[in-house]
Amino acid sequence: MSIQKKIKVGILGATGMVGQNYLKLLDNHPWFEVVALAASEKSSGKPFQEAVTNRWLMDTEIPDDCKEIVVDDVKEVRAVSEKCQMVFSCFEISDKELIKEYEELYAKEGLAVVSNASANRWTEDVPMILPEINHKHLKIIDIQRKRMGSQGFIVVKPNCSVQSYLTPVFALEQAGFEVEKMIVNTLQAVSGAGYPGVPSLSMIDNVIPYISGEEEKSEKEPQKILGSVVGEKINNRSTLNISAHCNRVPVVDGHLACVSLKFAEKKPSREEILNIWSNFSSKPQKLNLPFAPLNPITYKEEENRPQPRLDRNTDKAMTVTLGRLRECKVFDYRFVGLSHNTARGAAGGGILNAELLVAEGYVS
Ligand code: NAP
């Protein structure tokens, strides 16, 4: 699919870890043009390159087109909205209600809001989209538009580690093998905590077996993603029980998940599972979206893979890399999943959601 005229987009939280990843990944995007950058009051009024002095963390230069864009204050909703058709929301305020409120204000101004924040993940008419799994949930946008009284709406991305284990589980369920229980042990990269994040003296030579709020998100969000739209809301799939342990580890990028799972009834053979995973493809691949990985799931046969440093960038850093599929002595099977948290789990995932919205006619 090609589009006539690029869609004008803004980034709310452009100076942060996820915001910078958006800037990097949107450079030369075929459908989107970055025209507005916003952050806190502290950064507003400064040209972007000045606002990120000594804290530009990407391995590429600031895109030339963005260096001189004067940063707006996220709270200046009207000023930002007048410049763009869609915003990527990745700003952080400790008061989540305030984030929720601002995202709604942008939607009420008629913008599509593609959010990485958790504030609206449990709003009943806001879909939490992993495009390969629940693209059909987009139909609830019509209900949301009525509530907003505008053509604007909010779509959220789930937590940054969910796709590492939920995409392979969804592929198995779609093939007729329902999963009943899972134990998920995540090893999450430091970039997941934003910048400056966890102090280096707490992190080097260490593992921190706690990430605030993360276990609850890892256990609960899959239920909404695997749910179905009924009437004016999304009914959760409450029959999948997940127990999560979330750990922060001294890795820069890439969240790993060690998973044990039990099927509800039928149990596939190892060969069947590998076949299902290697043939799994979904709507983003069918629509040939620019950020869609060729293969949403990549399986590594080597016994010591996946590894964050070696595998996180596979297929534009958008694939979920799996390995170590073997029988489990307590449940049925075990495997390891890996995905890039700031790409697939944050900015790349947000861009894929935005592309899906364009391809499905929700943004033009
Ligand atoms: P971060 O590096 O701390 O960046 C925070 C951003 O929010 C900055 O642009 C900051 O602007 C802005 N901000 C701070 N206070 C603000 C205020 N009062 N009003 C408006 N803007 C304000 O955080 P991050 O890692 O990018 O995370 C951003 C969001 O994405 C969070 O909700 C996080 O949970 C979510 N997320 C992160 C990841 C990840 O892997 N890092 C993955 C998925 C989702 P200034 O520079 O001006 O302070």
Side-chain angles (χ1 to χ4, degrees):
M1 181 180 145
S2 64
I3 61 161
Q4 301 272 308
K5 200 163 172 238
K6 283 196 181 184
I7 290 157
K8 294 186 188 308
V9 303
I11 303 169
L12 311 177
T15 50
M17 177 66 77
V18 178
Q20 293 185 20
N21 271 281
Y22 269 116
L23 273 146
K24 171 182 165 180
L25 298 177
L26 287 169
D27 194 20
N28 293 318
H29 190 281
W31 297 358
F32 304 130
E33 179 189 0
V34 177
V35 296
L37 301 173
S40 77
E41 204 181 334
K42 178 185 84 186
S43 306
S44 74
K46 297 178 186 163
F48 182 75
Q49 67 175 344
E50 186 188 326
V52 292
T53 305
N54 295 328
R55 55 179 181 133
W56 175 256
L57 297 161
M58 301 297 100
D59 53 7
T60 51
E61 292 295 315
I62 301 172
D64 282 339
D65 298 348
C66 296
K67 283 181 179 161
E68 296 304 326
I69 294 181
V70 175
V71 178
D72 288 305
D73 185 338
V74 168
K75 297 185 185 75
E76 300 294 333
V77 179
R78 183 63 55 82
V80 179
S81 301
E82 278 170 355
K83 299 178 197 170
C84 33
Q85 296 154 274
M86 176 158 68
V87 283
F88 294 102
S89 166
C90 54
F91 65 104
E92 178 69 342
I93 309 180
S94 52
D95 180 356
K96 304 295 170 212
E97 280 305 307
L98 213 52
I99 299 183
K100 194 170 167 176
E101 218 173 278
Y102 277 103
E103 289 187 344
E104 289 204 357
L105 287 174
Y106 278 95
K108 285 179 178 158
E109 287 292 325
L111 269 63
V113 179
V114 176
S115 177
N116 292 82
S118 59
N120 265 305
R121 287 189 194 148
W122 290 97
T123 309
E124 272 193 349
D125 57 10
V126 171
M128 188 177 349
I129 300 291
L130 263 178
E132 281 89 354
I133 300 181
N134 61 342
H135 48 87
K136 289 188 182 142
H137 287 192
L138 290 186
K139 64 183 173 204
I140 204 155
I141 287 173
D142 295 336
I143 307 286
Q144 211 195 120
R145 278 175 161 160
K146 277 190 214 149
R147 175 170 65 90
M148 299 288 179
S150 125
Q151 279 302 97
F153 59 86
I154 304 166
V155 163
V156 295
K157 237 204 88 317
N159 179 257
C160 49
S161 63
V162 166
Q163 64 279 338
S164 303
Y165 52 92
L166 199 61
T167 313
V169 164
F170 173 73
L172 297 173
E173 293 207 326
Q174 204 188 30
F177 300 102
E178 188 184 329
V179 174
E180 185 189 6
K181 291 181 191 169
M182 292 166 70
I183 294 179
V184 179
N185 197 339
T186 67
L187 307 173
Q188 303 190 199
V190 284
S191 60
Y195 186 79
V198 189
S200 54
L201 274 181
S202 303
M203 206 61 257
I204 296 169
D205 185 31
N206 206 11
V207 168
I208 299 174
Y210 174 70
I211 306 174
S212 175
E214 204 76 358
E215 291 178 350
E216 294 77 1
K217 291 175 191 164
S218 308
E219 291 172 353
K220 226 176 126 201
E221 290 179 10
Q223 299 193 344
K224 181 167 180 179
I225 299 164
L226 296 178
S228 42
V229 177
V230 181
E232 306 215 332
K233 61 183 192 126
I234 297 164
N235 277 357
N236 295 342
R237 153 83 190 286
S238 52
T239 53
L240 174 63
N241 287 308
I242 301 178
S243 172
H245 308 251
C246 297
N247 305 285
R248 187 73 72 198
V249 298
V251 162
V252 175
D253 287 316
H255 288 352
L256 204 73
C258 301
V259 182
S260 288
L261 59 82
K262 184 164 181 6
F263 291 95
E265 288 170 11
K266 274 189 298 175
K267 173 180 159 182
S269 67
R270 186 175 183 276
E271 286 61 40
E272 279 176 303
I273 295 179
L274 291 177
N275 247 324
I276 290 165
W277 284 345
S278 67
N279 291 318
F280 179 65
S281 184
S282 184
K283 191 91 178 183
Q285 288 68 39
K286 199 167 167 197
L287 293 169
N288 201 16
L289 300 178
F291 260 66
L294 204 57
N295 300 302
I297 294 173
T298 302
Y299 188 84
K300 302 292 288 183
E301 289 293 347
E302 296 92 323
E303 62 190 6
N304 61 356
R305 302 285 277 277
Q307 294 180 22
R309 237 174 36 207
L310 302 183
D311 299 309
R312 63 191 168 206
N313 289 321
T314 307
D315 211 342
K316 298 172 278 193
M318 290 296 284
T319 192
V320 175
T321 306
L322 306 180
R324 305 213 60 221
L325 176 66
R326 61 222 192 272
E327 294 228 333
C328 174
K329 295 215 163 68
V330 180
F331 285 180
D332 291 327
Y333 284 100
R334 291 174 278 180
F335 66 92
V336 179
L338 169 83
S339 62
H340 195 304
N341 56 300
T342 54
R344 177 79 218 206
I351 295 169
L352 191 62
N353 277 350
E355 291 171 350
L356 179 68
L357 289 166
V358 173
E360 296 286 79
Y362 289 95
V363 180
S364 54

